[in-house]
Amino acid sequence: MANIPPPILVGKAVTTPEALPDTGGQVFLQPNLANRHGLVAGATGTGKTVTLMTLAEGFSRIGVPVFMADVKGDVAGLAMPGTLNDKLKARIEEIGIAGYVNEGSPVVFWDLFGKLGHPVRATVSEIGPTLLSRMLELNDTQSGVLDIVFRLADDRGLLLLDLDDLRALLNLVAEERKSVSTDYGLVSTPSIGAIQRALLRLESDGGDMFFGEPALELADLMRTTTDGRGVINILAADSLVLKPRLYSSFLLWLLSELFEQLPEVGDLDKPKLVFVFDEAHLLFEDAPKALQQRVEQVVRIIRSKGVGVYFCSQFPDDVPDEMLGQLGNRVQHALRAFTPRDQKAVRTAAETFVPNPGLDVADAIARLGTGEALVSTLQAKGVPMPVEQTLIAAPRCRMGAITDAERAAVRAGSPVGAKYDTTVDRESAEEMLARKIEVAAGQADAPAAKGAESDADEGGLGQAVRNAVFGTKRRQGMVETMAKQTARTIGSQIGRQVLRGLLGGIFGKGR
């Protein structure tokens, strides 16, 4: 029993605390049920971020690593101790938080753009054509062409590491369009051009910095400190969230990698990792039905791998109904029913809670103050507790942004900085194709020079034959054409596949 982690304090019930006699009215999240996922919802300014920080701190203290996005810049405050004031003291006393001290948590900062944290990278092959098509906002036809490009890379043994490699493959497909169309399916020049333009847009948004090496290793997101605390991984997302397709696709890729790589462990005393998906509506907006179904399957199954997924959004119905039913731990902050959309969201929230005879849920949602929420967590045997109006516990960290100097100090002490801060550029598709072309050109130049010497005195018919075989400055000859074609087909003889995750385990493909 000594190894069982303590429950995480969420807050204290203010309506019917007598309904929780064993805890003195306090509301807890049970670690052994935290992998049953959760939802934190509510209007802007009602305290969702502070609730997430409180939960992240609680998980960290019991040795559970956390990954979460910092959309507004204030989640970074988890790294610094807070400041005790009279208002905070009153809340601590009212809730009855034992052993409260202001302290920071062990934090590692990440950033897709490499500015506010360690760079987060993945190879093009790891992302795969499905998610890349979503990032590039391609239509079905263009996505099909991208599938062919990836298959061609596999068949010719060409590594796709960064966007330059992908461009090189697109150029190769354009040059060999007729033969590729015959072997793999129709490839049109307009589709290739559309993909190239989409790559330019992605690059202008800074997305090209995400593709490359060293690629992120999941083990580095699941670290604990020497004193047994879980590391909180914070992704700087204030700029990233402005590119919603890139933001949601990256988090979905990360979730799929966790699903694919982690072993089955069943029910544990505490999760191996808690994954927080802020601005969850971006994941499901404009997503094809098939993709939503696959995400639902991953969320359902990933709990058996020890991962808890917590969605955060303004409205509970931002998450599809099929997935909403899988989120056992709920924290609902205030919703203001000003519009028909708001009124529908209030009804949805009220209907998804276990009723409490002493609480009118729909009425309470509209009257909640900042720092208050309706809470229902899973208790013994996975049974959800009746919803309680709850005063949310205050976090121990700073509730606000940190300075550049403080961020730099945290980065300087990071255990993974030396591993990820320097880009690695090894030989891949672009270099391999360029070298083959150079070799082919050299093979063509040598006999051409020799032929020119031996036939220096010849003209007329001899010159015409020489031009046809070896080419001129403006037109390639048969030798150069055959050499280039031979070079381009060498890769197909290697006979190996480039391993990658096509949306990870979501689509059942191995790495």
Side-chain angles (χ1 to χ4, degrees), residues 315-317 332 335 340-350 365:
F315 302 104
D317 57 2
Q332 176 64 61
L335 289 173
R341 169 74 170 84
D342 297 339
Q343 294 167 5
K344 178 178 180 293
V346 169
R347 290 194 301 270
T348 299
I365 289 176

Side-chain angles (χ1 to χ4, degrees), residues 15-296:
T15 49
T16 57
E18 64 277 2
L20 302 168
D22 295 338
T23 63
Q26 290 182 329
V27 179
F28 290 96
L29 191 156
Q30 303 300 326
N32 63 322
L33 297 169
N35 65 336
R36 304 295 177 90
H37 313 317
L39 172 69
V40 178
T44 300
T46 57
K48 296 193 304 295
T49 301
V50 174
T51 297
L52 289 176
M53 295 167 77
T54 297
L55 293 177
E57 278 188 346
F59 282 119
S60 176
R61 283 198 300 274
I62 64 172
V64 177
V66 178
F67 180 91
M68 60 194 308
D70 187 4
V71 174
K72 294 181 292 185
D74 48 1
V75 173
L78 280 162
M80 297 294 154
T83 302
L84 200 61
N85 54 40
D86 292 340
K87 185 178 179 180
L88 193 56
K89 286 180 181 178
R91 176 168 288 230
I92 294 168
E93 292 176 1
E94 184 176 359
I95 296 174
I97 305 176
Y100 182 94
V101 291
N102 288 118
E103 61 181 357
S105 297
V107 165
V108 171
F109 291 117
W110 302 91
D111 185 1
L112 255 69
F113 307 120
K115 297 178 181 178
L116 300 178
H118 305 304
V120 182
R121 302 184 187 89
T123 67
V124 173
S125 288
E126 287 176 328
I127 294 296
T130 303
L131 272 184
L132 188 57
S133 294
R134 179 172 168 80
M135 288 182 183
L136 298 176
E137 301 184 29
L138 304 181
N139 61 32
D140 291 343
T141 301
Q142 295 156 3
S143 298
V145 172
L146 197 61
D147 288 335
I148 292 174
V149 171
F150 274 74
R151 177 60 184 275
L152 185 68
D154 284 347
D155 291 348
R156 299 198 180 183
L158 299 173
L159 287 173
L160 295 178
L161 301 182
D162 53 29
L163 294 188
D164 289 337
D165 295 327
L166 184 57
R167 287 195 180 94
L169 258 294
L170 287 167
N171 291 335
L172 178 63
V173 170
E175 292 177 7
E176 302 181 7
R177 186 172 59 84
K178 291 184 178 179
S179 61
V180 170
S181 295
T182 300
D183 295 338
Y184 296 93
L186 182 62
V187 175
S188 67
T189 301
S191 292
I192 296 175
I195 298 172
Q196 293 277 30
R197 291 190 296 272
L199 289 175
L200 285 176
R201 290 194 299 270
L202 181 63
E203 191 171 34
S204 66
D205 287 340
D208 60 313
M209 300 184 67
F210 172 51
F211 298 96
E213 291 184 315
L216 178 66
E217 293 185 17
L218 295 183
D220 290 322
L221 298 181
M222 305 175 71
R223 289 176 172 267
T224 56
T225 60
T226 54
D227 60 354
R229 302 182 69 183
V231 172
I232 302 176
N233 300 275
I234 299 178
L235 174 71
D238 51 342
S239 298
L240 179 62
V241 77
L242 300 178
K243 289 85 177 176
R245 286 294 183 94
L246 180 60
Y247 170 74
S248 61
S249 297
F250 163 71
L251 292 184
L252 182 55
W253 165 76
L254 188 55
L255 186 63
S256 71
E257 289 291 284
L258 290 167
F259 173 84
E260 181 180 340
Q261 294 190 33
L262 295 180
E264 294 279 343
V265 293
D267 291 326
L268 303 174
D269 290 335
K270 61 184 180 182
K272 297 173 66 174
L273 176 72
V274 166
F275 185 97
V276 180
F277 204 128
D278 202 359
E279 300 295 336
H281 65 282
L282 297 177
L283 174 60
F284 304 105
E285 280 184 350
D286 303 323
K289 184 66 175 177
L291 180 58
Q292 288 193 22
Q293 292 173 348
R294 297 297 186 181
V295 175
E296 177 192 345

Side-chain angles (χ1 to χ4, degrees), residues 4 12-13 37 68 306 346 351 370 413-414 438 461-462 492 511:
I4 297 178
K12 184 172 183 178
H37 313 317
M68 60 194 308
V346 169
E351 292 168 357
T370 302
S414 169
E438 290 177 1
L461 180 60
S492 64
R511 289 172 66 86

